Amino acid sequence: MLRQARHTIPENSTASNHVDRPLLIAILIVFGIGMIVLYSATGADSDQMLKHGIRAGLAFALMFIVSRISSPTLARWSLNLYLFALLLLVAVLSIGIIGKGAQRWIDLGLFRFQPSEIMKIAIPMATAWVLSRSILPPKIGVLLLTVVIVLVPSILIMRQPDLGTALLVALSGVAVIFLAGPSWKLVVSVVCVMIAAAPVLWSLVLEDYQRRRILTLFDPWSDPLGAGYHSIQSIIAIGSGGIDGKGWLSGTQSQLEFIPERSTDFIFSVLAEEFGILGVLLLLSLYLFLVIRGLVIAYQAEDNYSRLLAGGLSVTFFFYVFVNVGMVSGILPVVGVPLPFISYGGTSMVTLMVGFGILMSISRGKKA
Amino acid sequence: MIPIRDHMNEALVVRGRLIFLFVIVLVLTLVLVLRLSHLQIIQHKKFTALALENRIDLFSVSPVRGLIFDRNGHTLATNVRSFNLEILPDKVADLEQLLDELGQVIELTPAQLERFRSLTRHRPSFEVQTIKANLSEREVATLSVNLHRYPGVRLQVRLQRNYPEGELTAHSVGYVGRIGPDDMKQVDLNAYQGMDYIGKSGIENQYEDILRGTTGISMVETNAHGKIIRHVNTDQAEAGKTIHLSLDIELQREGVRALDGYEGAIVALDPDNGEVLAFVSMPSYDPNEFVNGIGERQYGDLRTSELKPLFNRALYGQYAPGSTIKGFMSLIGMDNGIDPKQRVFCPGWFSLPGKTHRYRCWKKTGHGWMDSHEAIVQSCDVYFYDLAQKLGIDKIHKGMSRLGFGQTTGIDLLGEQSGLMPSKAWKSKARNEPWFTGETVITGIGQGYMLATPLQLAVSMATLANRGKRITPRFLSGIEYPQSGIREEIEPQLEESIAAHQDHYFDLVIQSMHDVVHGVRGTARGIGRDINYTIAGKTGTAQVRSIAQNEEYNEELTEKKYRDHSLFVGFAPHDDPKIAIAVIVEHAGSGSRTAAPIARRMIDFYLHKQLGLFSDSGPATETVNS
């Protein structure tokens, strides 16, 4: 079937028949590390491991399928996918059920999924599509259109409320816009305006618990049993890991359940505690490799849509890593972003794999 | 129209931005690496310590409190198992809410809550505190089912203090109680880590340091919910030392029986070494009620009872000694050069020269001519009115003080009263009044200002039995180390002896007191019948209310609380003293009628049953006392 699909795209006949190997291998290694850490973090729960494996298998399959879709096809679907995701977001606000105190899920009977996850892909795609249709650097009218494309879903996601995802989704769009080459003057002035507007956003947009999380960031020890507890326990886990860690399955903070959400958002702390900074550096290197590989694919891409989308997705991927590691190590507020390929949970992995499938598709699309 | 596009330039624009973002990615990665290196390398030690602190909990292991035995090895204080509900405040997010929820599962009294709150305020929060002890089986069952819902809460089997003899030992052994806020201010809290009880009264309080033992520390690994994963290390607690008392619980029991419902006190000593054989104060109370904190109402009842069960009469009770001091008066007289053969005429009353006030003798018809011996035997008041007046209060004061009156005996119990031995100096200081000769007169028969405790009277009898050798009364006879079983004996403590000018003065007084019991006219001749050993003793009747000049004392018509106290002091056998005793029975009339038979019963019991002396059934060879 994949073979058939390829044959229906004659303009890609010169492209390589293989998936991007460096990407695939790096992802597999990260995923392997993830399984090892997850085994420890779940307390050797084989049931969860199996679920995680099945989801990963599905996600990998999806990645391969996406990697076979040519980038012009992706470009054609961009706007429709975006509008579809937007519709779902509106739906989630009205019929969404309560999950973890926030309306984020759509229950389709068989499984639940988060429309905001689709947005992680749909926003860069739609933004890249709009920008690629005009001359770069874009004119102000096109820019404003892309800003609307980014802001509308971001605000909807923020209303759920899911500040972390909203910021990351917005960032994925902003990254694409930035890549399109708006003048530095404009970039700098926007950054200045944002900084100036921060206090207003602080008091008007942020919920009470979000403000507390950010404040706690600056002094987690001020409330060690309350808002600062997650942060402190995570930092203790990381710090006590030292250079070579306490050993697999031997992290006291992890195994004695001091690290909260240790199989999902805080799984990095488990890794840092049990494998020390050596493990941490290995993982960060792999992530860095994935990002750089993505940026190279963007650099070598044949058309603007591919460049913008590949660059945007790569940078967004890096932001996931940065926000998660920054949050568990106490330099960013706790916002609830999973660690790519490692945290337990299906939806985020599917999104990631689709993203890398797109990167592979773009990589395949370039002239050999 | 699609404008002509410069694809090369557009690619350059995007590639330029890609390179910029690449740099940003590198910088941010560096930030992460620096942050993680800071945590994992530079601050590694600090976080290792914090991680250790997280998972390791220190529990105090309370030591077993030392046991208390009587002289024959009967248990007076022991420890029994009890189910306690304990809370580790450190692991509880909201203590008040927890107390609220627990209160719905089992009954928690306001007193228990108050006590618990004050403990959590005063003690470090990593220390386990007991909120309720002595849980019933039903409570244990209910809690076991619900316990998993409350992290930081647990059921624990503890040893709890128990007094098998109950009210028999309340006034001597005393009791332990839960450590309260007041105790916390006074003791070194480190010595009481993990302990709930402290000696509150009696021997339990006096020898707290010996009985307490040393707390051990248990190191356990716990998870984030306070659940113990494994034991890491245990520093064993050191049990308190066993205390052996000189008390003879069987003699004590006999004393309570002999008092037969009367309020009163009995103190019996071994004159040889000052060991307290019996220390009875009735009515009494059950010290077990106090161990876990007595209910407020119950305590209120004990406190306000007219019979004053909480009042330790033997130790704190200050009574007019009455005629019991007549032997000593005679001794002081001889020591001050008054010839014991010199006779005084008793017409039934005495008056000071030039005064009309008549000091009555208990025998209205009078005793006729009396010398020292007969005056003691028949307890003639007039002889001693005259003697007192001849000596003057200051000589009486000096002599009586040397015998220990007006001073504490130094017994190993807290709060002993000193009684009162009046003098001119005392009166001018305490009352700012001059001394009147009339007051000297009545001091001669142990009335007026003079007060003595039952303990003091018993000690004075031991001194007389020892012919001046004074001893300090004490309960503690031995300390035993529970591990090694080594027993450390306590040496008797001697006071400065009092020498009379001539040794035979003591003999004369003792002979007179012998005749009180064994002589035909002795006031206590009633207890001298059917006896196969000798007692030297003296009866006493202490007025509770003074009687007006022309009033007749009629016991039947007198309200109970104004009736005379009945006293008897003595020792036996009179020539080889084994026991010295003082008996005070409140509002029981004359000494010969109530107190003397009680004393006889005690002495009989001790010499016959406990020492096996003079017993009809066999020779006096067996001694129980080791």
Side-chain angles (χ1 to χ4, degrees):
Chain A
M1 188 186 151
L2 291 176
R3 191 172 292 271
Q4 270 182 352
R6 203 179 68 225
H7 286 303
T8 56
I9 311 160
E11 65 267 30
N12 276 3
S13 56
T14 51
S16 157
N17 287 338
H18 306 285
V19 291
D20 191 288
R21 268 199 205 174
L23 272 189
L24 183 62
I25 290 167
I27 290 172
L28 283 172
I29 295 175
V30 172
F31 181 75
I33 292 173
M35 288 293 274
I36 292 169
V37 178
L38 191 64
Y39 183 78
S40 172
T42 55
D45 184 338
S46 51
D47 196 42
Q48 282 194 42
M49 295 299 292
L50 188 66
K51 269 190 199 166
H52 189 71
I54 290 171
R55 281 176 188 157
L58 288 172
F60 269 100
L62 197 57
M63 178 180 78
F64 284 117
I65 292 169
V66 172
S67 74
R68 297 284 147 173
I69 304 170
S70 69
S71 64
T73 313
L74 287 174
R76 278 199 303 279
W77 291 353
S78 296
L79 195 62
N80 289 336
L81 182 71
Y82 173 80
L83 292 173
F84 173 66
L86 199 59
L87 195 73
L88 289 180
L89 264 184
V90 174
V92 104
L93 273 179
S94 39
I95 62 158
I97 57 160
I98 305 294
K100 292 200 172 183
Q103 292 187 333
R104 296 173 190 178
W105 306 89
I106 281 190
D107 199 336
L108 293 182
L110 283 175
F111 62 99
R112 305 192 297 178
F113 83 107
Q114 290 175 288
S116 57
E117 287 293 331
I118 305 180
M119 272 301 173
K120 286 178 181 173
I121 302 289
I123 285 183
M125 279 175 78
T127 319
W129 180 75
V130 167
L131 287 165
S132 65
R133 283 173 59 84
S134 61
I135 304 169
L136 298 185
K139 296 207 169 57
I140 192 73
V142 178
L143 271 181
L144 283 177
L145 176 62
T146 56
V147 167
V148 171
I149 288 174
V150 173
L151 274 185
V152 170
S154 299
I155 289 169
L156 286 177
I157 293 169
M158 199 148 64
R159 287 284 300 274
Q160 286 181 347
D162 186 354
L163 188 68
T165 309
L167 279 175
L168 283 169
V169 162
L171 264 177
S172 68
V174 168
V176 173
I177 297 171
F178 175 78
L179 283 169
S183 71
W184 283 108
K185 222 161 123 186
L186 187 63
V187 171
V188 171
S189 31
V190 166
V191 168
C192 289
V193 168
M194 292 294 280
I195 291 170
V200 182
L201 288 172
W202 174 263
S203 51
L204 292 184
V205 180
L206 293 186
E207 299 274 334
D208 219 29
Y209 81 96
Q210 292 167 332
R211 262 175 275 180
R212 202 162 54 238
R213 272 188 195 173
I214 294 170
L215 283 178
T216 311
L217 172 73
F218 295 108
D219 186 14
W221 308 91
S222 65
D223 188 8
L225 287 176
Y229 183 80
H230 289 198
S231 244
I232 288 174
Q233 293 304 337
S234 167
I235 291 170
I236 290 175
I238 295 171
S240 64
I243 290 173
D244 55 355
K246 297 176 186 170
W248 188 46
L249 302 177
S250 307
T252 57
Q253 290 284 101
S254 319
Q255 304 305 325
L256 299 175
E257 301 171 31
F258 287 100
I259 302 176
E261 309 283 339
R262 63 200 209 284
S263 62
T264 56
D265 290 355
F266 283 85
I267 197 163
F268 184 84
S269 318
V270 178
L271 170 99
E273 185 186 26
E274 298 193 343
F275 299 98
I277 199 155
L278 296 179
V280 164
L281 288 179
L282 174 67
L283 183 68
L284 288 183
S285 309
L286 286 165
Y287 281 138
L288 192 61
F289 174 81
L290 285 173
V291 174
I292 291 172
R293 181 68 199 151
L295 291 175
V296 167
I297 288 171
Y299 197 89
Q300 294 176 342
E302 291 294 310
D303 56 280
N304 282 343
Y305 175 76
S306 299
R307 285 184 198 113
L308 294 177
L309 183 56
L313 289 175
S314 304
V315 170
T316 308
F317 174 76
F318 176 75
F319 281 140
Y320 291 151
V321 174
F322 181 76
V323 170
N324 180 274
V325 176
M327 142 187 130
V328 299
S329 63
I331 52 174
L332 289 176
V334 176
V335 284
V337 173
L339 186 65
F341 298 123
I342 295 189
S343 286
Y344 181 79
T347 346
S348 77
M349 185 145 61
V350 169
T351 319
L352 281 167
M353 290 298 200
V354 168
F356 276 91
I358 291 171
L359 277 178
M360 285 173 176
S361 148
I362 291 167
S363 158
R364 210 166 50 93
K366 71 173 190 272
K367 287 194 178 73
Chain B
M1 269 295 274
I2 299 165
I4 299 157
R5 296 173 64 167
D6 182 349
H7 289 284
M8 277 300 282
N9 183 48
E10 288 187 23
L12 279 178
V13 167
V14 178
R15 283 173 182 165
R17 292 299 168 93
L18 279 170
I19 290 167
F20 182 82
L21 283 183
F22 171 66
V23 174
I24 297 276
V25 164
L26 286 185
V27 170
L28 290 181
T29 305
L30 190 65
V31 168
L32 288 184
V33 169
L34 287 177
R35 169 66 177 171
L36 291 164
S37 311
H38 180 69
L39 294 179
Q40 298 199 278
I41 298 171
I42 297 171
Q43 292 193 297
H44 173 60
K45 268 194 182 155
K46 168 184 160 190
F47 288 116
T48 302
L50 285 173
L52 192 71
E53 205 175 281
N54 251 347
R55 70 185 177 99
I56 298 296
D57 270 323
L58 298 180
F59 286 102
S60 303
V61 182
S62 16
V64 179
R65 194 172 173 87
L67 305 178
I68 302 178
F69 292 107
D70 90 334
R71 68 187 297 112
N72 297 318
H74 293 290
T75 307
L76 302 184
T78 181
N79 308 298
V80 295
R81 277 155 49 95
S82 138
F83 272 99
N84 293 0
L85 182 62
E86 301 181 344
I87 295 178
L88 180 59
D90 236 8
K91 300 288 182 192
V92 179
D94 187 340
L95 215 51
E96 283 308 309
Q97 193 196 330
L98 175 72
L99 294 181
D100 224 48
E101 288 172 23
L102 284 177
Q104 284 158 22
V105 180
I106 57 160
E107 197 203 335
L108 295 173
T109 65
Q112 283 163 339
L113 291 170
E114 212 286 311
R115 205 192 118 263
F116 178 75
R117 287 195 185 102
S118 105
L119 277 170
T120 50
R121 270 196 304 274
H122 286 85
R123 306 290 281 251
S125 63
F126 55 77
E127 202 175 274
V128 171
Q129 301 299 352
T130 305
I131 176 148
K132 187 172 186 178
N134 253 340
L135 297 168
S136 68
E137 265 176 53
R138 174 185 286 258
E139 285 173 322
V140 170
T142 317
L143 280 167
S144 311
V145 179
N146 288 294
L147 217 55
H148 65 93
R149 283 163 47 201
Y150 311 114
V153 179
R154 60 183 193 181
L155 274 172
Q156 194 81 13
V157 183
R158 294 266 186 198
L159 288 175
Q160 192 188 298
R161 202 62 160 172
N162 178 264
Y163 305 101
E165 299 295 346
E167 66 168 21
L168 271 188
T169 57
H171 290 301
S172 45
V173 173
Y175 55 84
V176 298
R178 305 190 146 275
I179 300 170
D182 293 341
D183 300 310
M184 285 179 204
K185 285 175 207 145
Q186 286 169 21
V187 300
D188 171 20
L189 286 184
N190 288 329
Y192 284 87
Q193 292 263 339
M195 293 193 207
D196 292 326
Y197 300 100
I198 189 169
K200 294 271 188 184
S201 80
I203 291 299
E204 290 274 29
N205 173 264
Q206 180 79 21
Y207 294 116
E208 170 69 15
D209 291 346
I210 295 173
L211 292 165
R212 185 178 55 232
T214 312
T215 306
I217 290 171
S218 173
M219 231 190 235
V220 295
E221 183 174 87
T222 61
N223 70 7
H225 317 295
K227 188 181 160 202
I228 295 174
I229 305 296
R230 67 193 175 96
H231 285 264
V232 180
N233 188 13
T234 303
D235 181 4
Q236 291 291 339
E238 200 182 300
K241 297 176 195 74
T242 301
I243 279 187
H244 293 271
L245 296 185
S246 58
L247 209 62
D248 183 336
I249 196 66
E250 295 305 328
L251 182 64
Q252 179 93 353
R253 199 188 316 282
E254 189 67 13
V256 170
R257 287 199 189 119
L259 273 174
D260 194 26
Y262 275 112
E263 297 101 70
I266 302 171
V267 177
L269 306 170
D270 182 338
D272 200 36
N273 50 22
E275 288 185 347
V276 179
L277 302 172
F279 203 77
V280 180
S281 173
M282 289 303 284
S284 184
Y285 58 93
D286 184 0
N288 292 303
E289 302 281 355
F290 284 80
V291 172
N292 278 308
I294 189 166
E296 261 175 62
R297 237 180 68 195
Q298 218 176 339
Y299 186 57
D301 289 348
L302 284 175
R303 267 174 62 135
T304 51
S305 164
E306 285 217 348
L307 303 178
K308 297 202 252 173
L310 294 178
F311 185 62
N312 191 340
R313 290 169 164 80
L315 195 63
Y316 312 138
Q318 301 186 100
Y319 301 87
S323 305
T324 60
I325 63 155
K326 281 175 180 167
F328 295 126
M329 281 300 296
S330 188
L331 187 72
I332 295 165
M334 288 184 260
D335 230 24
N336 284 286
I338 289 165
D339 181 1
K341 294 281 168 228
Q342 189 185 332
R343 299 196 301 171
V344 171
F345 187 77
C346 168
W349 51 269
F350 172 83
S351 61
L352 286 164
K355 298 275 168 70
T356 53
H357 184 92
R358 286 185 172 186
Y359 298 91
R360 288 190 272 203
C361 186
W362 67 269
K363 194 174 180 184
K364 279 182 280 183
T365 53
H367 288 95
W369 288 102
M370 290 272 114
D371 65 0
S372 166
H373 177 76
E374 276 306 311
I376 292 173
V377 172
Q378 299 187 39
S379 199
C380 172
D381 291 337
V382 169
Y383 178 88
F384 289 101
Y385 290 143
D386 177 71
L387 178 62
Q389 187 249 323
K390 280 178 186 153
L391 285 168
I393 187 62
D394 285 336
K395 277 182 182 156
I396 298 172
H397 172 84
K398 192 179 165 205
M400 288 291 179
S401 296
R402 287 172 68 201
L403 284 156
F405 288 99
Q407 307 150 30
T408 53
T409 64
I411 193 170
D412 45 357
L413 279 186
L414 214 66
E416 184 193 353
Q417 291 293 318
S418 63
L420 178 61
M421 189 59 235
S423 66
K424 284 178 185 162
W426 166 79
K427 199 183 177 195
S428 89
K429 196 176 163 199
R431 306 253 166 139
N432 200 20
E433 278 172 19
W435 184 266
F436 300 111
T437 321
E439 292 164 346
T440 309
V441 171
I442 54 171
T443 304
I445 62 158
Q447 295 287 158
Y449 296 117
M450 187 176 176
L451 294 173
T453 65
L455 175 64
Q456 278 178 325
L457 291 174
V459 171
S460 73
M461 278 304 115
T463 308
L464 183 64
N466 289 337
R467 288 165 171 76
K469 190 185 84 180
R470 284 177 65 188
I471 39 87
T472 304
R474 63 189 162 82
F475 280 96
L476 186 67
S477 74
I479 298 170
E480 192 180 314
Y481 295 82
Q483 267 93 34
S484 58
I486 293 172
R487 186 171 159 165
E488 187 185 303
E489 299 298 330
I490 307 300
E491 289 301 312
Q493 208 178 325
L494 291 172
E495 302 280 315
E496 196 192 340
S497 290
I498 33 170
H501 283 143
Q502 288 187 31
D503 248 8
H504 74 272
Y505 292 167
F506 282 114
D507 297 330
L508 285 175
V509 172
I510 291 169
Q511 189 54 49
S512 305
M513 285 173 61
H514 170 271
D515 286 357
V516 168
V517 178
H518 303 284
V520 273
R521 282 188 292 272
T523 52
R525 62 186 179 277
I527 65 166
R529 292 190 200 109
D530 303 325
I531 197 164
N532 57 4
Y533 58 90
T534 53
I535 298 177
K538 183 71 195 78
T539 56
T541 307
Q543 282 177 20
V544 172
R545 196 177 66 160
S546 55
I547 295 146
Q549 260 308 249
N550 304 313
E551 197 182 338
E552 288 284 326
Y553 175 78
N554 185 328
E555 191 178 290
E556 296 296 309
L557 297 177
T558 308
E559 210 184 322
K560 188 194 161 199
K561 63 176 178 179
Y562 295 126
R563 283 182 205 162
D564 294 342
H565 293 328
S566 171
L567 281 77
F568 183 87
V569 297
F571 56 89
H574 93 287
D575 50 355
D576 179 20
K578 298 280 185 222
I579 179 171
I581 194 167
V583 178
I584 288 188
V585 190
E586 291 182 4
H587 315 297
S590 76
S592 54
R593 196 175 67 197
T594 318
I598 289 173
R600 165 81 196 271
R601 191 169 158 183
M602 292 288 282
I603 298 168
D604 269 358
F605 185 86
Y606 184 68
L607 295 182
H608 292 161
K609 285 255 173 58
Q610 301 302 90
L611 296 187
L613 297 170
F614 317 107
S615 110
D616 300 333
S617 52
T621 49
E622 183 201 359
T623 52
V624 190
N625 191 6
S626 54

